[in-house]
Amino acid sequence: MIYRIVTFLLVSFFSFQLSYAQRVLIEAESFDDPGGWVVDPQFVEQMGSPYLMAHGMGTPVANAHTKFKLDEAGEYHIWVRSKNWAPGDWEAPGRFQVAINGQTLPETLGTTPGWSWEYAGKVSLKAGATEIDLIDLTGFNGRCDAIFFSTDESTPPRGNAELATWRMKESNEASSPEEVLEFDLVVVGGGIAGCASAIAAAEQGLKVALIHDRPVLGGNASSEIRVHTLGIYGHFERILRMLDTEHYPNGSPEAYQDEIKRHKNVEKYENIHLFTNWRAYDANTNGNRIESVDARHTSEGKRIRFVAPRFVDSTGDGWIGFWAGADFMYGRESVDTYGEAYEEWGELWSPEEADDFVMGSSVLWRTVKADAYTDFPEVPWAEEVAQSHEATEGTWKWELSRLDLHQIDDAEEIRDHMLKAIYGSFANAKKTEASKDLKFEWISYLIGKRESRRLVGDYIFTFNDVTDLRKFEDSVVMEIREIDVHYQQNLTDESKPDFLSEAIFYKTPQYYIPYRSLYSKNIDNLFMAGRNFSCSHIGLGGPRVMRTTGQMGAAVGIAAVICEKYGIDPREVYTDHLEEYMILIEAQKTYNTIAPKK
């Protein structure tokens, strides 16, 4: 295990005496043994780092443990960066303590609202091997970002910008990654779209990097989120059958079997270089071109710079495009922007004035019958959200979207709101005779997003392309699934809780998406595949499902092959080589070769 630990001396003069402050920073995600805690990297851009979380579904989890070498003995003040994720007139739900060399420090942590440094106590330490344990007290999602040892009493900075600079200084981190790797194509995001892109390009001989911030592939289809895949296969049935799922109920553990299949099929390509547990954090540009993408290992902290002539943004949130300065959209266009009215549904479908409503994020969950009656703790911190709602499972309708919550900037708050809804609704159900023998089997701690940023391409796909049955000369994706747009139930019935949604369906014959919606309008060498493709809010409603986004991924993987052949950018595939490209697209129905390592 590589530790993100740094020790250094700060020298100061006082009364002509030389004194030394010994300091050590330990990133919690780098612990040797996380025990029952999980590494959560979802909110790095908002709070600064991956962190450990005690996701015990109401039962305290096993200690997280690590060991490091302390260079000098002394009296150390211990600071822990944590957060009370449900503040109010009750005990914080995510409480935990820290033990140093088996000695539990006196302060209970996870009690301060917002991410901040909490003082854990003071301890006398000898030089040499030093052990740390995180002790979960509740099982309700306590979280620890970092632990800071110092022989002086100075508190580390709290603000994100200042904290990021401080962290780099503490770790003596260079301004650029330590390792540089070169590829023909870099795909960021290992959901169905990203995997399909990597396979399509690799089969034609490209050397591909596939970067994904989780240990398992599949995105919303993974065993960590468990949404089944919908949509048709289009030209890419052979590729997509390697990656998709059976039509099990959302939240089903059957997701594990499809995940095994998915990994086996991606990993069999020698020229796909898979980087799981690596999270991209920057795109380096020269003018309107991306030269490289930087990524960091989510637990070890190592960094790699990925250099390539072309990149695929399959991050869902459009991060690569965002960092590169790509044009993007967020929210609902006004009904007049593209003429996307659906009179029967009015404002719920398309508003008179543009706003920031988007389809929301879900957290799925399941319960099972226990052998006997089981208790569940009181959860007063969840009552305001759950109110009187009772539930014993979470379907796709468990979804949150509000105008005051941004699906990217406020993603942690959205996830935590859904956890309150889950724990509170289940606590209500447990008071009934029918549910006394139920217990949690699984709750996802990852949010499954439907919509956020949409990167702008040369063509913006809209509802009109569906209703007009428009077929393009560069149609590379096809779909028959209905347009499906969500809204929160409490918008039409105030008695409903704010975490339940409903869907509006518009039935349609087969429709098509052009290649021009799959590359950036203003970043010359950037493709996009997934829910961040170039479309309006309503245009996203149908093709956001995973077999359809998988078609997008495969289509841009093939386009990257044309680009590599002629040394061109994505736009020129359309303007100069469309006939050859479309022949390759059609050929995917019968192509059946695994390319050798390049």
Side-chain angles (χ1 to χ4, degrees):
M1 174 61 68
I2 298 175
Y3 302 105
R4 294 165 64 188
I5 301 171
V6 63
T7 305
F8 66 95
L9 300 178
L10 295 178
V11 183
S12 63
F13 289 93
F14 179 73
S15 300
F16 304 104
Q17 299 294 316
L18 186 64
S19 62
Y20 297 91
Q22 180 79 2
R23 292 147 64 111
V24 180
L25 174 65
I26 299 179
E27 299 286 1
E29 67 271 16
S30 70
F31 268 37
D32 294 335
D33 178 8
W37 298 62
V38 296
V39 176
D40 190 342
Q42 296 175 91
F43 315 115
V44 170
E45 291 77 20
Q46 293 76 42
M47 53 73 63
S49 174
Y51 57 81
L52 285 183
M53 184 167 66
H55 187 56
M57 301 183 292
T59 300
V61 304
N63 292 0
H65 176 83
T66 201
K67 184 185 295 184
F68 71 99
K69 183 181 178 181
L70 188 65
D71 288 342
E72 292 190 16
E75 295 285 327
Y76 284 84
H77 300 274
I78 314 296
W79 298 90
V80 177
R81 190 166 188 250
S82 185
K83 175 182 184 177
N84 178 2
W85 62 275
D89 295 329
W90 43 71
E91 284 193 296
R95 303 185 307 280
F96 67 99
Q97 290 179 290
V98 171
I100 308 296
N101 292 335
Q103 175 187 344
T104 301
L105 302 186
E107 297 298 324
T108 298
L109 307 166
T111 61
T112 305
W115 281 102
S116 62
W117 292 96
E118 297 182 308
Y119 187 68
K122 186 178 180 181
V123 62
S124 179
L125 296 175
K126 297 179 181 179
T130 304
E131 299 190 15
I132 309 174
D133 283 276
L134 300 182
I135 305 168
D136 177 31
L137 301 177
T138 68
F140 284 120
N141 301 91
R143 48 204 74 175
C144 178
D145 173 25
I147 303 169
F148 180 60
F149 294 70
S150 178
T151 53
D152 66 20
E153 296 186 56
S154 59
T155 308
R158 176 168 179 167
N160 281 352
E162 185 183 4
L163 179 60
T165 301
W166 178 83
R167 268 184 150 129
M168 288 187 67
K169 183 178 178 181
E170 293 287 301
S171 61
N172 197 28
E173 186 173 86
S175 59
S176 60
E178 303 82 0
E179 184 176 5
V180 178
L181 299 176
E182 295 187 7
F183 296 90
D184 298 326
L185 181 69
V186 171
V187 180
V188 186
I192 301 300
C195 290
S197 180
I199 289 175
E203 286 187 338
Q204 301 288 336
L206 297 195
K207 180 183 177 183
V208 181
L210 178 56
I211 306 169
H212 188 52
D213 66 352
R214 299 301 304 162
V216 293
L217 297 170
N220 282 352
S222 74
S223 63
E224 297 185 312
I225 299 178
R226 303 186 185 180
V227 176
H228 57 237
T229 55
L230 292 174
I232 65 173
Y233 296 108
H235 300 288
F236 308 104
E237 180 172 1
R238 181 186 54 80
I239 290 177
L240 296 182
R241 283 193 179 276
M242 300 185 203
L243 304 169
D244 69 348
T245 74
E246 298 295 329
H247 193 79
Y248 48 68
N250 286 332
S252 171
E254 294 176 71
Y256 284 107
Q257 292 304 310
D258 290 315
E259 189 166 86
I260 292 169
K261 173 194 76 172
R262 187 176 306 122
H263 273 262
K264 180 180 178 181
N265 284 324
V266 171
E267 291 167 6
K268 71 185 180 183
Y269 293 93
E270 292 185 358
N271 51 332
I272 294 179
H273 299 258
L274 182 58
F275 295 85
T276 52
N277 290 316
W278 286 83
R279 186 176 180 91
Y281 65 86
D282 199 8
N284 306 296
T285 59
N286 183 0
N288 290 332
R289 301 188 68 81
I290 300 173
E291 293 189 331
S292 60
V293 164
D294 295 341
R296 186 190 300 273
H297 195 278
T298 57
S299 60
E300 297 176 359
K302 295 184 297 184
R303 296 178 300 158
I304 296 176
R305 174 161 290 175
F306 294 85
V307 177
R310 284 160 287 276
F311 298 82
V312 180
D313 189 334
S314 288
T315 63
D317 285 336
W319 279 113
I320 306 305
F322 178 75
W323 291 322
D327 294 343
F328 69 91
M329 300 171 281
Y330 183 96
R332 302 191 299 175
E333 297 83 7
S334 72
V335 67
D336 295 327
T337 301
Y338 299 113
E340 295 178 295
Y342 189 178
E343 297 296 341
E344 180 182 347
W345 291 98
E347 285 276 323
L348 291 176
W349 181 263
S350 199
E352 289 295 323
E353 296 185 6
D355 60 31
D356 281 344
F357 259 125
V358 294
M359 287 178 280
S361 297
S362 290
V363 176
L364 298 179
W365 58 287
R366 284 169 56 94
T367 61
V368 293
K369 282 192 174 185
D371 295 333
Y373 284 176
T374 59
D375 294 324
F376 190 69
E378 295 292 323
V379 288
W381 40 267
E383 291 175 0
E384 184 178 2
V385 173
Q387 300 178 17
S388 61
H389 188 71
E390 299 175 11
T392 58
E393 67 173 346
T395 68
W396 66 264
K397 292 189 176 186
W398 283 66
E399 174 183 354
L400 182 62
S401 178
R402 290 196 329 230
L403 267 177
D404 64 324
L405 292 176
H406 191 282
Q407 292 291 318
I408 299 173
D409 299 340
D410 301 309
E412 187 176 23
E413 183 176 350
I414 291 170
R415 192 275 306 275
D416 291 347
H417 191 93
M418 296 303 291
L419 290 178
K420 294 174 190 176
I422 291 166
Y423 291 134
S425 298
F426 182 65
N428 291 335
K430 285 289 288 181
K431 296 172 185 176
T432 66
E433 188 66 28
S435 300
K436 285 187 175 180
D437 60 349
L438 292 181
K439 65 178 182 179
F440 284 122
E441 178 193 61
W442 169 79
I443 304 172
S444 179
Y445 62 93
L446 303 178
I447 52 175
K449 293 183 181 179
R450 290 176 176 83
E451 181 181 6
S452 55
R453 294 190 194 104
R454 306 183 304 276
L455 302 179
V456 178
D458 276 354
Y459 191 90
I460 298 173
F461 178 80
T462 74
F463 183 47
N464 295 321
D465 295 313
V466 177
T467 57
D468 293 347
L469 302 180
R470 189 170 291 132
K471 189 171 183 180
F472 307 89
E473 61 178 342
D474 58 335
S475 294
V476 291
V477 175
M478 61 186 74
E479 189 51 75
I480 61 173
R481 182 181 179 272
E482 61 268 83
I483 303 299
D484 166 17
V485 175
H486 292 197
Y487 66 91
Q488 299 303 119
Q489 291 183 15
N490 63 351
L491 294 178
T492 58
D493 184 347
E494 292 182 356
S495 70
K496 298 292 187 180
D498 69 354
F499 51 84
L500 296 179
S501 70
E502 195 50 80
I504 303 171
F505 294 99
Y506 182 92
K507 300 288 186 181
T508 175
Q510 183 163 292
Y511 55 92
Y512 302 88
I513 297 172
Y515 166 67
R516 284 164 291 158
S517 294
L518 305 181
Y519 61 83
S520 171
K521 177 181 180 180
N522 67 307
I523 301 300
D524 294 341
N525 59 339
L526 178 63
F527 295 103
M528 54 267 195
R531 60 180 174 83
N532 56 340
F533 86 105
S534 180
C535 62
S536 67
H537 165 72
I538 299 299
L540 181 65
R544 62 186 171 81
V545 295
M546 286 180 277
R547 286 197 190 105
T548 322
T549 60
Q551 292 184 56
M552 299 177 198
V556 302
I558 297 300
V561 173
I562 299 289
C563 289
E564 182 72 12
K565 179 178 179 180
Y566 294 105
I568 59 175
D569 291 331
R571 178 176 290 111
E572 293 167 277
V573 173
Y574 173 72
T575 59
D576 299 343
H577 300 277
L578 183 59
E579 182 178 359
E580 180 179 357
Y581 175 50
M582 296 306 294
I583 289 172
L584 272 178
I585 292 292
E586 290 286 341
Q588 292 307 300
K589 295 178 181 179
T590 56
Y591 188 86
N592 193 28
T593 300
I594 298 176
K597 188 172 183 179
K598 186 175 179 180

